[in-house]
């Protein structure tokens, strides 16, 4: 009975759990509450006040931090009078020669290019929405791309790698953190907050119907 | 969610097809999501063969990743080569057991656990399983979340190679295992991403339906 009931609803008003295929009538939850799939507990809708603005500011900060982290040294080493500093770019490009060059490209992408691309895409897609402007051209495809890149953005893993490296050569030489390390540590923190604030369903709905339209419709 | 009190309906049962990227729902037979452009399939039937293909590629790279050296360290005129496990043992001996444990978990326990978990999940959706779908889905989420962290050892090698270049005093070069290990992590991530978790719930629903009939 229920299934025929929900099948009669316009599909545009439904939301499907991407993990288990359960469908629900999409309804904006109360402020501060989340809509969770009753079957597999995947978070479906989790809106927050002024989330758009906060996410844009977080993305802009991340972008500045990644750019800074590329140029400033993140670790400094000294032993018997020899001193060396490494920047992020040095680490990314450290595998030279032969097949290891592939690894250099991969590492550069995972710790520099992908995090930067995600920040730029997020600002481009959400920026106009926050200021109640129509979605920019290609916004839906570009947001899809930003989402696809999410698992490949590995800045936070790199930051933990720095700490492990520090311990690993502790007996070989003296190591100390440079400014870029702290930028990276901040970036890890920003990434976590960014994911907390991002409600993907709200973004898709806004991109499809416009930000204002969704807000007016929300209480219904 | 709103339907919590009522029995669960899936998009497929309702004659609809769901977009797994943007959660929009379309009438069955729609080819492409009109919102985000993703190709729509009610159930990804080729999912399992892609899962197994990436899985095998990942496993194939995992062996050389452990057999060949990850790092070549040169201190003065002495050169030493470390495999993943050898490096961790060395760390433990140097009095950093905690970091050794992190490396062993990230580079040995997680990859092996991932291979086992993906293989078991893929088999269970084909043959059925007594384990409730909630637990299997939880396992899938853990596998998806944790897989990327195995990349840490590759980053450590990159950092050390860039940093430890002190002429004769000390220098570190990457070994062939670094590339093999990175590929293994990437392939297993792709394997986990290729898996369609909706299959876990379908099979469970079919099983309980046949239990009721019996
Ligand atoms: Zn679900
Ligand atoms: Zn879609």
């Amino acid at each position: 009975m229920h299934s025929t009931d929900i099948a009669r609803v316009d599909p545009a008003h439904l939301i499907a759990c991407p993990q288990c295929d359960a469908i629900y009538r999409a309804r904006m939850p109360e402020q501060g509450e989340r809509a969770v799939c009753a079957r597999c507990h995947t978070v479906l809708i989790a809106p927050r006040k002024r989330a758009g603005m906060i996410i844009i500011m977080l993305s802009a900060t991340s972008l500045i931090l990644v750019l800074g982290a590329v140029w400033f040294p993140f670790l400094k080493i000294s032993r018997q009078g020899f001193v060396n500093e490494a920047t992020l770019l040095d680490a990314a490009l450290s595998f030279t020669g032969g097949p290891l060059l592939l690894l250099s490209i991969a590492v550069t992408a995972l710790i520099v290019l992908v995090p930067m691309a995600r920040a730029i895409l997020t600002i481009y897609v959400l920026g106009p929405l926050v200021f109640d402007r129509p979605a920019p051209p290609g916004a839906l495809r570009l947001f899809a791309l930003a989402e696809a890149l999410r698992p490949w953005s590995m800045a936070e893993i790199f930051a933990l790698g720095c700490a492990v490296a520090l311990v690993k050569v502790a007996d070989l030489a003296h190591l100390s953190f440079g400014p870029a390390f702290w930028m990276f540590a901040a970036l890890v923190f920003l990434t976590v907050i960014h994911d907390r604030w991002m409600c993907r369903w709200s973004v898709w709905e806004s991109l499809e119907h416009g930000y204002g339209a969704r807000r007016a419709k929300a209480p219904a | 969610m709103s339907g919590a009190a009522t029995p669960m309906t899936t998009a497929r049962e309702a004659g609809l097809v769901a977009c797994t990227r943007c959660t929009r729902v379309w009438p069955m037979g729609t080819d492409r999501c009109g919102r985000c452009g993703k190709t729509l399939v009610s159930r990804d039937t080729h999912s399992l063969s892609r899962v197994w293909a990436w899985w095998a590629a990942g496993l194939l790279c995992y062996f050389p990743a452990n057999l060949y050296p990850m790092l070549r360290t040169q201190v003065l005129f002495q050169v030493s080569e470390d495999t993943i496990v050898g490096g961790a043992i060395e760390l433990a001996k140097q009095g950093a057991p905690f970091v050794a444990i992190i490396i062993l978990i990230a580079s040995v326990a997680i990859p092996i656990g991932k291979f086992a978990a993906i293989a078991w999940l893929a088999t269970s959706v084909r043959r059925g399983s007594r384990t409730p779908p909630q637990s299997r889905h939880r396992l899938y989420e853990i596998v998806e979340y944790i897989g990327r962290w195995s990349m840490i050892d590759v980053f450590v090698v990159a950092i050390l190679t860039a940093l430890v270049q002190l002429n004769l005093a000390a220098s570190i070069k990457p070994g062939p295992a670094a590339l093999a290990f990175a590929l293994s992590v990437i392939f297993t991530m792709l394997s986990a991403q290729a898996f369609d978790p909706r299959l876990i719930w379908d099979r469970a629903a079919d099983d309980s339906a046949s239990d009721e009939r019996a």
Side-chain angles (χ1 to χ4, degrees), chain B residues 93-195:
Chain B
K93 277 187 195 157
Q94 286 166 15
F98 183 66
V99 183
I101 288 168
I102 291 186
I103 293 287
L104 282 178
I105 289 174
S107 314
V108 182
I110 290 179
I112 292 177
K114 256 188 89 169
F115 286 123
I118 295 174
W120 181 64
L121 285 172
T123 326
S124 83
V125 296
R126 181 155 291 173
R127 301 224 184 117
S129 167
R130 289 196 175 280
T131 315
Q134 284 81 357
S135 319
R136 280 184 287 150
H137 187 248
R138 188 94 200 98
L139 179 68
Y140 174 69
E141 282 178 327
I142 293 170
V143 164
E144 261 226 301
Y145 174 78
I146 230 166
R148 348 170 17 246
W149 285 92
S150 298
M151 217 54 185
I152 189 167
D153 224 17
V154 177
F155 291 151
V156 170
V157 174
I159 293 164
L160 292 178
T161 309
L163 196 64
V164 188
Q165 297 300 340
L166 303 169
N167 287 331
L168 284 176
S171 79
I172 288 180
K173 285 194 169 72
L179 178 64
F181 191 78
L183 287 175
S184 175
V185 174
I186 290 170
F187 290 154
T188 30
M189 277 176 74
L190 290 169
S191 173
Q193 284 180 13
F195 186 76

Side-chain angles (χ1 to χ4, degrees), chain A residues 14-54:
Chain A
L14 296 175
I15 179 172
C17 173
Q19 296 281 322
C20 77
D21 208 35
I23 47 174
Y24 306 95
R25 255 176 252 257
R27 205 169 297 157
M28 199 57 124
E30 296 294 311
Q31 201 55 243
E33 289 187 0
R34 310 185 306 172
V36 177
C37 175
R39 185 153 76 158
C40 74
H41 308 298
T42 300
V43 177
L44 299 174
I45 310 176
R48 291 221 191 173
K49 245 185 205 160
R50 288 185 294 277
M53 190 51 113
I54 286 166

